[in-house]
Amino acid sequence: MTRRQRAKRLPEAQWYSIRPVRSLKPATYTCPLCGHRLHAMSDHVLVAPEGDTSRRRHAHLECVAAANLPGRPGQPGLLSRLLGRG
Ligand SMILES: [Zn+2]
């Protein structure tokens, strides 16, 4: 249980704003979906519950894709477009 509490989890929300990000900061984040680390300098995505950037989380693109998070109403297909470009 302690382990679960320590893990960063994605806040619950009706929808999530997802945008690709790559930082030049030598930081390491913990992906809220798989619990593994991710480097800021790798290609990843920023997930903001209902567009609330104060609750944003850095996550692996593949984890977000697998989680099939609901996107912003009226803006479907952002993630598919991101994935389709690779
Ligand atoms: Zn992940």
Side-chain angles (χ1 to χ4, degrees), residues 11-59:
E12 287 199 23
Q14 299 288 318
W15 56 269
Y16 297 86
S17 124
I18 296 162
R19 68 183 181 87
V21 64
R22 193 197 305 171
S23 169
L24 294 176
K25 282 192 298 183
T28 306
Y29 301 104
T30 302
C31 174
L33 294 161
C34 70
H36 288 275
R37 291 176 165 203
L38 81 95
H39 294 285
M41 286 182 276
S42 68
D43 280 317
H44 64 281
V45 293
L46 210 49
V47 183
E50 289 153 12
D52 182 358
T53 53
S54 69
R55 289 188 293 157
R56 70 189 182 274
R57 293 284 185 273
H58 295 260

Side-chain angles (χ1 to χ4, degrees), residues 59-78:
H60 298 115
L61 174 59
E62 59 268 32
C63 293
V64 171
N68 200 19
L69 298 173
R72 184 185 201 131
Q75 280 193 348
L78 173 63

